[in-house]
Amino acid sequence: MLKSLAPNSSIAVLGSGISGLTFSFFLNRLRPDVKIHIFEKSKQVGGWIRSEEHETFHFEKGPRTLRGTNTGTLMLLDLLTKIGANDKVLGLHKDSLANKKYLLSPFSDVHGNNAKLLQVPQDFSSFVKFMFDPLSKDLILGLLKEPWQPKLKYSDESVDHFFNRRFATKLSENIVSAIVHGIYAGDVKKLSVKAIFPRLPEMEQESGSIIRYMIAQYRTKKNVKQKVDPFLADYEKLIGTSLSFKNISLFLKNFPMLSFQGGLQKLPISLKNHLSQIENIKFHFDSKIKNIALESGKVALTDHDQVYLVDHVRSTINTNELAKIISPVVPSSTKKKSVFKSKANGPGLVKCLSWLHYTNILMCNIYIPKHVSKSITGFGYLVPRSMSSQASKLLGVIFDSDIETAMTPNFTEANITAINSNSASPKQLQKFSDQFVNNDLPKYTKLTLMLGGHYLKSEADMPGSAESKHAVKAILSNHLNIDLDEFASLPDFKMEITKIPNCIPQYEVGYLDLKRKVQNAASKEFNDQISFGGMAFGDGVGIPDCVQNAFKDSATLSGI
Ligand SMILES: Cc1cc2nc3c(=O)[nH]c(=O)nc-3n(C[C@H](O)[C@H](O)[C@H](O)COP(=O)(O)OP(=O)(O)OC[C@H]3O[C@@H](n4cnc5c(N)ncnc54)[C@H](O)[C@@H]3O)c2cc1C
């Protein structure tokens, strides 16, 4: 359990990605007396959020959108309103063509290619097509059988094991694996169902069946008053907001994805510009922390030339890297027993931090300075595990130009006033949102391909640029009928391959246990003077998860 910070304490934040920045923002709001030092090894803020500027366009080298309906997103929107950057928020309306999502299916297409893109159901007709596609083979039978599967309780199990056990079909291989590729670039056979879909095992325990639970929920939904998210209630109480979270959430139901004008990295940059003006917040760029140790009740951090003494360290960096730089002190009572081996004390912090496994992604960004028809418009497509042999380790493709063209600014002052209005009913908010449906045709073509992930055993397994470009050309030709060579000579045409090593932590079976061990070890060996945010041991791997975790822990540390 984190201890609250004493008056006028100092804290070191490791990393100026979205986690470090939002944590600093919230902590400063709650405890302006605390001196915050933000250490960043590079010259810029954003971490994985990196928008690379080109003359007429930008490439996103990490995330480009974030989920619209989420607690962390609401907190972030409030934060952006507080720093005056809300008008830069863009939303993708659910009814825009660019919100159509696809899966790669084994069905042959009209061109004779042995794979086609199957739309994820959005309405009745897409639902019927989906259910009769080979990808959904046995799905109906699996859904019908699920309520009669025995209720079992596992301490933990893989996503694949859970779905096979409950639905007894190829659901995991054909559909769930694709979703998991899109979020974790991970393997359904290794990832923990309790860590990444925690509600599903809970539903099984509560109702004996997922389907029965859902039917019961649907029946009672109309009579039950929507509960206020406890974190949002805390947020309103502690940080305060001028937004009506209830109305904004209803409005956001129409915007599954949000982004930021000019590239997502402009968001952390706006936040940095705001934080730089606050007296008790100091940024240290080009400052890679190389050692962290307890020293006479303080935490000593060393960068290339200086030692800083603080009362608490908030780490948001890769935990394998963190394991290499921390020197934990063994508590005197356990010193002789060696905390690293004793079963009673559990494994040491360094060991636990290095146990978390990260995945490697190969990203290919493509820009063609004209609109190229690819027969479908949408958000992009994901590739299920069962289709891997036809897709060269492809995890998914994002249709950036479709998304960017459809995005509209919907959080201007005037819009917020209208959404906030007490009299706005859910129907009115829905109607108000309809003006943001945008189906304009893009004037350019921008695509991002994500490859590798769990298909690559290690960073060393990542293919070179030439091999990757060859694979990408074949994928685009087979799946989208795009011949890249046709456009390569156009001015401004760009194709970039980027290796993104050790980027997404994998919540594998046993992860929740590991998280507890990390917290216990930090408590014993670091006297609770270190805490962990970000993707590794926070609330999840997405940007909203990082923001929510930043608020939660800043509130606990603030002691308010
Ligand atoms: C390819 C990819 C695609 C993604 N797509 C999405 C998406 O579509 N939507 C979504 O919500 N999320 C997405 N994510 C996840 C999202 O990027 C993360 O949730 C978020 O960026 C994590 O931010 P962070 O601040 O926790 O960590 P990071 O962004 O990793 O920031 C950590 C910072 O610490 C710095 N640092 C590291 N070591 C040291 C040191 N020793 N000393 C000082 N500084 C150090 C680093 O330079 C970095 O700036 C994606 C991630 C990846 C990799």
Side-chain angles (χ1 to χ4, degrees), residues 3 84 98 143 202 249 267 292 354 371 466 517 524 542 554:
K3 286 185 212 143
L143 293 175
E202 282 169 16
S249 322
L267 193 161
I292 305 173
S354 57
H371 173 68
K517 283 182 179 144
K524 276 185 201 144
S554 63

Side-chain angles (χ1 to χ4, degrees), residues 125-143:
S125 96
S126 54
F127 175 76
V128 173
K129 273 189 201 144
F130 190 86
M131 289 314 246
F132 288 98
D133 189 90
L135 209 57
S136 311
K137 192 170 175 275
D138 297 338
L139 178 59
I140 297 176
L141 195 65
L143 293 175

Side-chain angles (χ1 to χ4, degrees), residues 179-197:
I179 300 166
V180 167
H181 283 163
I183 305 172
Y184 296 89
D187 185 353
V188 278
K189 291 188 190 292
K190 289 191 177 156
L191 294 176
S192 150
V193 72
K194 275 200 175 169
I196 73 171
F197 299 123

Side-chain angles (χ1 to χ4, degrees), residues 15 17-19 39-41 47-48 63 65 287 289 317 534 541-543 546:
I18 195 70
S19 299
F39 294 95
E40 171 53 55
K41 72 174 177 186
W48 290 122
T65 53
S287 175
I289 295 300
I317 69 174
V541 299
I543 294 170
C546 293

Side-chain angles (χ1 to χ4, degrees), residues 139-151:
L139 178 59
I140 297 176
L141 195 65
L143 293 175
L144 291 174
K145 278 188 349 199
E146 196 275 342
W148 283 271
Q149 300 292 357
K151 170 175 138 180

